[in-house]
Amino acid sequence: AEKGYDAARVDQIAAEAGVNKALIYYYFRSKRALLEELFEGFFRESAAMLVSYVQHGGLEASPSPEADRVFDRYFSYFESKRDLLRIMVMESLKVAEGPPPLFKLVDFGGLVDESAAQAVRASGSYSPGTMNLSLVAEFFTGVLPLLSYVLFREPWCRYFDVSREELKRYLGEVME
């Protein structure tokens, strides 16, 4: 996160992790494979929380208290993965052959078991007829604002001289 993916060296990663560089290559064939595994783990956890959110009525007009708790855990999870998210955003902005990694935050394909995916589709928000609309809404009005908040919160608070609590309250009001 400090240097960016391209500038980071495997020997530096090994030193930070307190392991031998050969051990990293024993488990991962390359630096890219290591990054992809970090991303996939994040996507699996994130998808599971989103499925739980939907299953607890999070997409309803008045989400249940349990859905609110699931969202709070999701939000905290994003905050705990701030460095990984920085890398993910940078990698997503690069012109590459494959899709930007951030797109996986709304694409559950292969990340959750099929019964969970069916439950999400059964909620009505992700029906085949409205799937693209739902994905656009989720990505551009849900994921990106959450990422922006997590990644820019501290500099925003310093620049505009507001507390974290004020900023969080403002964001909640705007998103409401």
Side-chain angles (χ1 to χ4, degrees), residues 35-86:
L35 182 64
E36 288 172 4
E37 181 59 34
L38 289 170
F39 284 174
E40 285 302 310
F42 177 84
F43 295 139
R44 281 189 300 272
E45 291 280 332
S46 179
M49 284 185 242
L50 285 175
V51 167
S52 179
Y53 180 69
V54 171
Q55 289 173 332
H56 286 95
L59 298 178
E60 303 297 323
S62 296
S64 72
E66 181 57 28
D68 288 340
R69 284 189 288 279
V70 171
F71 181 80
D72 288 342
R73 284 194 301 273
Y74 184 66
F75 188 82
S76 294
Y77 181 69
F78 263 56
E79 288 184 315
S80 74
K81 300 296 185 181
R82 185 177 293 120
D83 286 343
L84 183 61
L85 290 170
R86 281 187 179 109

Side-chain angles (χ1 to χ4, degrees), residues 95-157:
V95 177
E97 289 188 22
L102 284 177
F103 289 3
K104 287 288 265 184
L105 287 171
V106 294
D107 178 12
F108 295 167
L111 296 172
V112 296
D113 65 55
E114 188 52 34
S115 64
Q118 285 176 353
V120 169
R121 285 191 288 276
S123 73
S125 296
Y126 297 94
S127 63
T130 63
M131 180 64 81
N132 284 332
L133 178 64
S134 297
L135 293 175
V136 166
E138 186 176 333
F139 186 76
F140 290 103
T141 67
V143 170
L144 289 182
L146 178 59
L147 278 172
S148 295
Y149 175 80
V150 167
L151 297 176
F152 292 107
R153 179 187 60 213
E154 298 306 325
W156 183 278
C157 288

